[in-house]
């Protein structure tokens, strides 16, 4: 480690601490969305998820199912599409949920524009749709339960700028094309950098499917393309894990600042090891619980807000021990139930 | 095969009565239509002792081209240009195979990769949104109780059936597939008809791409992954011979119905999608095995 990077690491640490001190563990929490009373009727709720290979969605599914048990739901019929590229599969799954006559559908969309037709079919069949975490472009949904992706992108920029001492070269691994999170986080990151840290330049950006393998390959290629990279923005930790492995393998650990979103086990390890510097963490279990509560409230004819903002945490090596895992991950050993 | 189909339908219907509901039959019909359309084209290719691996990627390329053309030149132009894009790619496949003598497997494998790359390049990897709402009719609309995609697929099946069984081109397709040398010796312009086979396959992929684009009401460069393999599966499950010459549109329809009913039925009786994959894999091999066993007994 040369002098410059030691300085940078210390600086990063200081800013991390400052950010932590300034913002309590729950940075921008929406108001708590309380659990409704257990309804008299036992409902069947359909859930459509993008991919269970990402622990983020396993945690969310746990949230849906655990909350459903607490609310006396008869059955949660869940599907995963197997990846953001399988839009046609998610559409068929939504249509099959409609045909199965579930009482409500909770949709985590694989694609914004692509899911409009399916949502409208569900609504036309009298089945309300609750949209969680990844947004559909349809305006027919009852409510959107979402993290403020703009804030996630801005927080990554607000960390990156000072950590690079106000100037440097950054590459962006944006995540899955056509998803609300990849778009909004990436755009907010770039906008914030341009406004607050104009000397930090984005020299390359790419979309990829949301897997560590795709992130690894993309980052290896970036490292080949650009002799100097000072920072890496990741839209989600599934790609950041791959990027971190590429940085480790290139021997540039500590010389490249990595920011990302979310907090699966590998992300935690890389934050502890100082490879990933900061992550803006969503609380998928909470998103799942709120989604199920909103579904029940809708079916019980209670008013549901049009948008519910879910809480965000900012995690660095300084506060990695203080995270409430019960809202971030499914319990250790939990497996999705047989359907 | 029809017996298996009926047994499957009865089985699913008993476990989940919703299987027989009008909504769900409409569902199956709609979900089936894209696979049905590309399987028609695949039937031509396999019957002629070839194969078309490019049809899955072609769905994505057509989707992107159709959506962009629709934004630039309007609804009808978008649809026409989308289908033409499919034909054009088919033409390139055909020329590579018939004139340059590149094996069909390799030529269309190359196209599989290239067409996906072209779709991603043209769209920048992003979905193309903002298509006119009226375009949704094709994917989501109904003609009486029947979903429009199913109507399109049904008409295509009927046309393809007549082409294969009643026209000279149809007979030549079988002839090329049974024995290409004999076909050449009996004076058939094999190169010309081979090219036509891949144009037909590309055209049906084009139609399927437009239908799928309407279903997702946007141009999507990631559509159709591994669909080419399902179209091959549909042909062989129905009883088409993978080496050509034997099979037909009716058999392919049977294969498509079995695949679609499996996936929808297993979803409705809530079998996990992982187990579904195992079931489909077993059925593909089993269907071909039964066919072979029957042939040997003859």
């Amino acid at each position: 480690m040369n002098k410059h990077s030691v300085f940078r690491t210390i600086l990063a640490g200081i800013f991390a601490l400052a950010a932590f001190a300034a913002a309590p563990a729950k940075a921008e929490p929406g108001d708590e969305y309380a659990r409704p009373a257990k309804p008299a009727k036992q409902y069947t709720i359909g859930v459509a998820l993008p991919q269970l290979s990402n622990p983020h969605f396993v945690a969310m599914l746990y949230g849906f199912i655990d909350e459903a048990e607490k609310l006396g739901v008869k059955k949660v019929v869940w599907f995963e599409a197997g990846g953001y590229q399988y839009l046609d599969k998610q559409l068929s799954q939504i249509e099959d949920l409609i045909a199965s006559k579930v009482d409500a559908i909770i949709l985590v969309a694989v694609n914004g524009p692509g899911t409009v037709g399916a949502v409208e079919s569900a609504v036309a069949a009298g089945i309300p749709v609750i949209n969680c975490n990844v947004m559909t472009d349809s305006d027919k949904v009852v409510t959107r339960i979402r993290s403020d992706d703009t804030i996630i992108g801005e927080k990554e920029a607000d960390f990156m700028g000072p950590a690079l001492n106000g100037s440097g070269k950054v590459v962006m691994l944006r995540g899955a094309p056509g998803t609300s999170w990849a778009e909004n986080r990436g755009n907010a990151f770039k906008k914030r950098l341009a406004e607050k840290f104009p000397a930090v330049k984005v020299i390359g950006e790419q979309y990829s499917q949301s897997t560590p393998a795709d992130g690894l390959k993309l980052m290896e290629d970036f490292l080949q393309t650009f002799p100097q990279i000072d920072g890496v923005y990741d839209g989600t930790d599934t790609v950041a894990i791959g990027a971190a492995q590429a940085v480790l393998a290139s021997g540039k650990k500590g010389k490249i600042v990595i920011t990302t979103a979310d907090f699966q086990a590998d992300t935690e390890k890389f934050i502890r090891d100082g490879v990933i510097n900061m992550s803006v963490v969503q609380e998928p279990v909470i998103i799942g619980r709120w989604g199920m509560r909103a579904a029940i409230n809708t079916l019980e004819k209670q008013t549901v807000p049009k948008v519910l903002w879910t809480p965000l945490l900012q995690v660095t090596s300084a506060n990695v021990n203080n995270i409430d895992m019960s809202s971030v991950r499914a319990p250790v050993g939990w497996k999705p139930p047989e359907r | 095969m029809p017996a298996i189909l009926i047994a499957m339908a009865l089985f699913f219907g008993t476990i989940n009565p919703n299987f027989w509901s009008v909504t769900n039959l409409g569902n199956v019909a709609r979900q089936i239509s894209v696979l049905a359309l590309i399987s028609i084209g695949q039937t031509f290719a396999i019957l002629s002792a070839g194969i078309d691996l490019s049809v899955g990627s072609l769905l994505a390329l057509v989707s992107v081209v159709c959506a962009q053309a629709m934004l630039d030149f309007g609804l009808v132009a978008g649809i026409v240009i989308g289908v033409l894009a499919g034909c054009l790619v088919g033409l390139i496949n055909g020329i590579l195979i018939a004139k340059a003598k590149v094996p069909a497997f390799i030529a269309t494998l190359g196209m599989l990769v290239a067409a996906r790359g072209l779709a991603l390049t043209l769209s920048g990897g992003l979905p193309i949104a903002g298509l006119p709402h009226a375009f949704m009719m094709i994917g989501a609309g109904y003609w009486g109780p029947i979903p429009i995609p199913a109507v399109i697929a049904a008409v295509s099946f009927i046309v393809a059936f007549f082409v294969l069984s009643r026209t000279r081109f149809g007979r030549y397709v079988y002839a090329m597939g049974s024995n290409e040398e004999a076909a050449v010796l009996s004076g058939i312009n094999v190169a010309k008809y081979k090219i036509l086979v891949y144009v037909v396959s590309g055209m049906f992929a084009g139609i399927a791409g437009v239908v799928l684009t309407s279903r997702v009401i946007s141009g999507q460069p990631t559509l159709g992954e591994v669909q080419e393999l399902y179209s091959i599966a549909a042909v062989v499950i129905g009883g088409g011979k993978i080496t050509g010459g034997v099979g037909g549109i009716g058999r392919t329809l049977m294969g498509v119905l079995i695949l679609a009913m499996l996936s929808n039925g297993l979803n409705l009786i809530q079998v996990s999608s992982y187990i579904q994959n195992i079931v489909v894999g077993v059925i593909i091999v089993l269907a071909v095995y039964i066919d072979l066993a029957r042939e040997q007994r003859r």
Side-chain angles (χ1 to χ4, degrees):
Chain A
M1 209 184 247
N2 62 32
K3 224 169 160 186
H4 183 64
S5 70
V6 170
F7 173 70
R8 183 170 288 169
T9 311
I10 293 170
L11 201 71
I14 290 171
F15 274 103
L17 279 172
F20 179 54
K26 291 209 172 182
E28 243 80 23
D31 291 331
E32 169 71 9
Y33 186 54
R35 178 175 298 150
K38 200 165 166 174
K41 194 176 163 208
Q42 289 195 312
Y43 293 106
T44 300
I45 310 289
V47 170
L49 290 163
Q51 56 179 6
L52 279 191
S53 57
N54 181 352
H56 174 77
F57 291 115
V58 178
M60 199 176 297
L61 182 59
Y62 169 75
F64 289 132
I65 288 173
D66 192 61
E67 191 67 18
E69 275 169 21
K70 296 190 162 69
L71 288 169
V73 167
K74 188 161 98 196
K75 193 161 179 59
V76 176
V77 184
W78 61 271
F79 291 115
E80 62 136 345
Y84 286 99
Q85 66 272 46
Y86 297 115
L87 172 59
D88 33 356
K89 193 155 181 197
Q90 184 167 68
L91 296 190
S92 297
Q93 290 170 341
I94 296 171
E95 287 166 357
D96 290 344
L97 286 173
I98 298 171
S100 307
K101 298 196 166 65
V102 294
D103 293 301
I105 293 174
I106 300 176
L107 172 65
V108 186
V110 297
N111 188 289
T115 43
V116 171
V119 169
E120 297 191 354
S121 307
V123 174
I127 300 174
V129 179
I130 313 293
N131 191 194
C132 275
N133 202 212
V134 194
M135 297 294 109
T136 169
D137 285 2
S138 169
D139 52 9
K140 301 266 179 8
V141 295
V142 178
T143 180
R144 297 178 188 278
I145 298 169
R146 62 189 303 186
S147 307
D148 192 333
D149 291 303
T150 305
I151 291 182
I152 295 179
E154 286 173 357
K155 279 185 182 301
E156 290 197 48
D158 287 346
F159 185 91
M160 185 70 77
L164 297 183
N165 206 13
S167 81
K169 292 173 178 164
V170 174
V171 292
M172 293 174 67
L173 282 66
R174 297 190 63 138
T179 58
S180 54
W181 55 267
E183 274 308 289
N184 296 335
R185 288 174 200 173
N187 293 347
F189 176 80
K190 280 170 81 173
K191 185 157 173 271
R192 185 69 144 218
L193 274 190
E195 283 166 6
K196 283 178 72 177
F197 310 102
V200 177
K201 300 288 184 204
V202 175
I203 53 172
E205 56 177 311
Q206 289 278 5
Y207 293 91
S208 70
Q209 287 311 318
S210 196
T211 72
D214 285 290
L216 172 65
K217 185 176 172 303
L218 206 50
M219 191 63 213
E220 282 172 349
D221 294 347
F222 273 139
L223 286 165
Q224 291 300 318
T225 316
F226 304 110
Q228 200 198 334
I229 294 173
D230 304 308
V232 182
Y233 158 94
D234 298 275
T236 170
D237 64 350
T238 41
V239 290
I241 289 165
Q245 281 164 336
V247 168
L248 259 186
S250 73
K252 292 186 173 165
K253 174 189 162 185
K255 294 176 191 149
I256 295 181
V257 176
I258 302 181
T259 66
T260 186
D262 291 340
F263 198 60
Q264 51 184 284
D266 288 330
T267 312
E268 177 182 347
K269 182 179 154 290
F270 280 128
I271 287 178
R272 289 184 189 282
D273 293 351
V275 186
I276 294 177
N277 301 66
M278 190 277 283
S279 184
V280 186
V281 176
Q282 308 180 83
E283 297 186 297
V285 179
I286 305 253
I287 297 174
R289 291 191 188 285
W290 289 15
M292 195 52 72
R293 288 172 195 176
I296 297 301
N297 273 333
T298 305
L299 293 169
E300 290 289 302
K301 310 278 180 258
Q302 302 295 312
T303 51
V304 177
K306 287 303 278 178
V307 179
L308 284 165
W309 298 106
T310 48
L312 297 170
L313 315 170
Q314 184 162 343
V315 179
T316 64
S317 59
N319 68 345
V320 69
N321 292 322
N322 309 342
I323 307 301
D324 176 10
M325 289 296 176
S326 69
S327 62
V328 176
R329 288 189 205 144
V332 176
W334 183 81
K335 280 215 173 82
E338 282 290 314
R339 283 180 286 131
Chain B
M1 282 303 141
I4 295 180
L5 203 60
I6 292 166
M8 265 171 44
L10 287 176
F11 173 71
F12 291 133
T14 320
I15 298 189
N16 187 342
N18 282 334
F19 183 79
W20 285 116
S21 69
V22 175
T23 335
N24 191 52
L25 292 181
N27 246 353
V28 177
R30 202 169 23 224
Q31 289 169 11
I32 210 176
S33 49
V34 170
L35 178 63
L37 284 165
I38 59 171
S39 301
I40 295 173
Q42 194 67 262
T43 308
F44 279 82
I46 292 180
L47 272 179
S48 75
I51 198 153
D52 191 346
L53 294 175
S54 67
V55 289
S57 298
L58 205 41
L59 292 175
L61 179 59
V62 168
S63 177
V64 168
V65 169
C66 164
Q68 194 56 54
M70 199 168 285
L71 289 181
D72 294 343
F73 310 113
L75 192 131
V76 178
I79 295 172
V80 172
I81 293 174
V83 176
L84 284 180
C87 296
L88 180 66
V89 172
L91 180 67
I92 298 171
N93 281 336
I95 291 173
L96 284 173
I97 295 162
K99 296 284 186 195
K101 308 281 182 203
V102 180
F105 189 96
I106 305 300
T108 59
L109 177 63
M111 190 56 84
L112 175 155
V113 181
R116 172 82 56 199
L118 189 56
L120 287 163
T121 308
L122 291 177
S123 62
L126 298 173
I128 299 170
L131 302 187
H133 219 247
F135 181 48
M136 266 175 88
M137 264 309 287
I138 294 181
Y142 285 87
W143 184 66
I146 311 169
I148 302 272
V151 175
I152 296 174
V155 170
S156 302
F157 263 108
I158 294 167
V159 170
F161 177 80
F162 276 101
V163 168
L164 272 180
S165 57
R166 300 287 149 81
T167 66
R168 181 178 298 168
F169 170 53
R171 285 197 301 278
Y172 287 171
V173 169
Y174 279 96
M176 287 189 294
S178 309
N179 189 336
E180 190 174 327
E181 232 167 284
V184 174
L185 290 175
S186 56
I188 299 175
N189 185 346
V190 168
K192 176 176 139 194
Y193 289 106
K194 247 190 196 170
I195 293 176
L196 197 53
V197 160
Y198 290 92
V199 172
V200 165
S201 179
M203 179 188 75
F204 281 114
I207 299 171
V210 171
V211 170
L212 196 51
T213 306
S214 164
R215 243 161 92 65
V216 302
I217 196 71
S218 49
Q220 298 278 356
T222 51
L223 283 177
E225 248 173 73
V226 304
Q227 286 304 306
E228 64 280 347
L229 298 183
Y230 281 103
S231 72
I232 297 167
V235 173
V236 299
I237 287 176
K241 203 168 157 199
I242 192 74
T243 46
V246 178
I249 272 309
R251 296 197 191 188
T252 297
L253 176 61
M254 211 63 77
V256 171
L257 283 173
I258 287 178
L259 279 177
M261 200 179 278
L262 259 183
S263 125
N264 168 269
L266 291 173
N267 270 355
L268 254 66
I269 65 172
Q270 293 161 23
V271 172
S272 105
S273 54
Y274 314 134
I275 297 176
Q276 291 186 24
N277 286 341
I278 302 174
V279 174
V280 171
V282 168
I283 294 222
I284 291 172
V285 178
L286 205 64
V288 174
Y289 171 75
I290 292 173
D291 248 31
L292 280 174
R294 211 187 293 149
E295 210 169 283
Q296 275 162 5
R297 241 181 289 134
R298 254 181 242 144

